[in-house]
């Protein structure tokens, strides 16, 4: 009995219970896999509220993250676009000068096709026309066969004549220089006179009688009397006309944009003074008439 | 070894609150693991009776596994919990530490052993699985929950 009491007292009961707990769990771990589904299904009932709350919480975080990401992406795209726009603007600025020169070259090419004379193309190096005794410096000189008093034209009209010639550069005396004189002819009245420079972009026609009828806007052409320019090259348009004491005072606005020139043509020393403007019947028409 | 009834009720209330919190923290496994280990190693051994210690550890293990709902076979966590809690209880009973450092060392070692044992038993019960980062949470936050456990433990010379 003494031995029994030793084994069946509360302390041993406690130990038995712990042993049963441990042993039961061991058996459960190794053999009790099948019963887990019951536990899980009953636990669903209790975990649902927590799961729904946590799902809402996670969704909110996910949405916020997405919003922030899309905002960041949009900001990045905007920055990229701004950079690209700035780059394009810079490129356009760089290209604008070349584009302008290309346009000018196209115009000159058209002019060259129209005029049946040999001309030398030149580029303007400096334009100090506004300075005293200034002029337009071009990149052709003695080395290129340039001589003084050769005519210089651009696509829009007459520019001036060669004034001084260096080895590889020359100075052009523009039409609006005070010491420049060119023989010109009015388009309607056919009256001839001498064009002398006045102000920038303007010139006066001298030696035209008060008897002549001159109208504003009338074109002014070269007359070829100075042996520099061929006949009928556009010089400008009459902008002011008034009768003077001895002769008519005529102000001409020059056709050539002397401030914005880039490329020029230098005419030959002794140009053909009149072009063959005789109307020729195209061969196809003449053949048809022959039939 | 026995505690006054007031202190026991106080401890039980904390344990029950911890169990509830553990259940509610199911979506956040890291903090949940910290609460779980605190109950198993910080509170269960302080109940002084081995049966109470084992019961609380087992209940904590079952609640954790039920809250997770991802185990294909359950029972591994409560078994690991009970073994660790009883070992710590035994260790604290035969040589009650007088200084916090010794206590912290024992509890930290028990926490490491607990992670390994639970991983082993859960592997047996539900098959191979990945060892999560919960044990890192437990060890990193040990300076937080260790002193609280020391406060509940109270060394023999401080007990009334």
């Amino acid at each position: 009995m003494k031995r029994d009491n030793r084994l069946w007292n509360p302390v041993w009961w406690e130990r038995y219970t712990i042993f049963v707990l441990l042993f039961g769990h061991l058996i459960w771990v190794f053999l009790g896999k099948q019963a887990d589904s019951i536990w899980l299904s009953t636990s669903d009932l209790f975990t649902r509220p927590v799961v729904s709350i946590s799902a809402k919480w996670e969704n909110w975080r996910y949405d916020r993250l997405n919003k922030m990401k899309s905002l960041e992406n949009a900001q990045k795209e905007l920055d990229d676009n701004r950079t690209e726009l700035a780059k394009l603007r810079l490129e356009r600025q760089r290209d604008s000068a070349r584009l302008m020169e290309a346009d000018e070259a196209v115009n000159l090419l058209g002019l060259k096709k129209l005029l049946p004379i040999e001309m030398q193309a030149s580029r303007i190096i400096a334009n100090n026309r506004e300075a005293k005794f200034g002029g337009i410096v071009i990149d052709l000189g003695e080395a290129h066969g340039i001589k003084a008093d050769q005519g210089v034209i651009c696509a829009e009209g007459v520019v001036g004549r060669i004034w001084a010639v260096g080895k590889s550069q020359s100075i052009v005396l523009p039409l609006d220089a005070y010491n420049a004189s060119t023989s010109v002819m009015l388009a309607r009245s056919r009256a001839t006179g001498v064009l002398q420079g006045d102000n920038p972009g303007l010139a006066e026609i001298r030696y035209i009688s008060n008897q002549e009828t001159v109208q504003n806007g009338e074109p002014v052409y070269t007359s070829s009397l100075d042996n520099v320019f061929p006949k009928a090259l556009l010089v400008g348009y009459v902008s002011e006309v008034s009768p003077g004491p001895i002769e008519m005072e005529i102000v001409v606005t020059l056709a050539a944009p002397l401030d914005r020139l880039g490329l020029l043509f230098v005419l030959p020393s002794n140009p053909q003074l009149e072009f063959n403007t005789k109307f020729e019947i195209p061969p196809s028409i003449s053949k048809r008439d022959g039939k | 070894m026995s505690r006054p009834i007031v202190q026991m009720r106080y401890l039980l209330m904390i344990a029950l609150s911890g169990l509830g919190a553990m259940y509610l923290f199911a979506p956040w496994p890291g903090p949940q693991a910290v609460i779980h280990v605190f109950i198993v190693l910080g509170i269960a051994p302080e109940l002084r009776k081995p049966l109470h210690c084992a019961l609380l550890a087992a209940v904590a293990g079952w609640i954790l596994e039920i809250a997770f709902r991802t185990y294909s076979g359950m029972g591994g966590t409560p078994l690991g919990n009970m073994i660790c809690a009883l070992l710590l209880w035994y260790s604290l009973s035969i040589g009650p530490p007088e200084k916090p450092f010794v206590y912290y060392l024992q509890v930290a070692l028990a926490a490491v052993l607990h992670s390994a044992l639970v991983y082993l038993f859960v592997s047996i019960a539900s098959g191979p699985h990945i060892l999560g980062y919960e044990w890192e949470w437990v060890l990193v936050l040990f300076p937080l929950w260790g002193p609280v456990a020391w406060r509940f433990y109270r060394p023999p010379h401080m007990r009334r």
Side-chain angles (χ1 to χ4, degrees), chain B residues 14-140:
Chain B
I14 288 172
L16 285 173
S17 312
L19 291 174
M22 202 174 73
Y23 189 76
L24 293 173
F25 268 70
W28 302 283
Q32 189 194 34
V34 177
I35 299 169
H36 173 231
V37 172
F38 173 69
I39 291 169
V40 173
L41 302 178
I43 297 179
E46 313 313 329
L47 295 177
R48 304 291 189 230
K49 284 197 171 182
L51 181 60
H52 295 167
C53 172
L55 274 173
L56 181 60
V59 169
W62 279 108
I63 286 177
L64 180 86
E65 290 202 342
I66 289 168
F68 261 155
R69 298 175 60 254
T70 53
Y71 291 76
S72 56
M74 298 201 290
T77 312
L79 183 61
N81 280 1
M82 279 194 291
I83 293 172
C84 274
L86 286 172
L87 278 175
L88 185 63
W89 169 83
Y90 183 69
S91 164
L92 294 175
S93 320
I94 57 168
E98 298 283 339
K99 291 180 179 176
F101 176 73
V102 184
Y103 175 79
Y104 291 154
L105 193 69
Q106 286 186 25
V107 176
L109 284 174
V112 175
L113 180 72
H114 174 259
S115 297
L117 269 182
V118 167
Y119 181 70
L120 173 72
F121 287 126
V122 171
S123 296
I124 293 167
S126 60
H129 67 285
I130 297 166
L131 177 65
Y133 50 84
E134 288 81 7
W135 64 275
E136 291 170 1
W137 273 82
V138 169
L139 289 181
V140 167

Side-chain angles (χ1 to χ4, degrees), chain A residues 63-116:
Chain A
D63 286 347
R64 201 182 64 152
L65 191 71
N66 272 352
K67 275 181 192 168
M68 283 177 72
K69 269 186 183 171
S70 54
L71 189 68
E72 278 171 9
N73 285 342
Q75 189 65 43
K76 197 183 168 190
E77 202 176 324
L78 191 67
D79 290 345
D80 288 348
N81 285 341
R82 277 183 185 151
T83 313
E84 202 176 327
L85 185 68
K87 212 183 282 178
L88 286 173
R89 277 183 181 158
L90 196 69
E91 273 178 25
R92 196 180 64 181
Q93 275 181 356
R94 278 181 195 158
D95 289 345
S96 60
R98 278 186 288 173
L99 201 65
M100 214 167 74
E101 197 171 299
D103 284 344
E104 210 168 350
V106 168
N107 288 341
L108 280 181
L109 200 65
L111 180 68
K112 195 168 186 178
K113 279 181 184 172
L114 285 173
L115 290 179

Side-chain angles (χ1 to χ4, degrees), chain A residues 194-228:
Chain A
V194 175
L195 187 84
Q196 287 188 336
D198 185 12
N199 282 315
L202 299 173
E204 277 180 9
I205 301 180
R206 304 285 311 277
Y207 315 122
I208 290 186
S209 162
N210 279 328
Q211 305 296 319
E212 299 288 347
T213 308
V214 181
Q215 291 179 345
N216 267 338
E218 193 173 336
V220 178
Y221 296 114
T222 51
S223 67
S224 81
L225 294 176
D226 54 4
N227 287 336
V228 174

Side-chain angles (χ1 to χ4, degrees), chain A residues 1-16:
Chain A
M1 286 300 286
K2 240 182 179 180
R3 203 172 189 177
D4 284 347
N5 283 339
R6 210 184 295 158
L7 290 176
W8 290 103
N9 56 32
V11 177
W12 275 98
W13 268 112
E14 197 176 344
R15 287 174 185 172
Y16 292 144

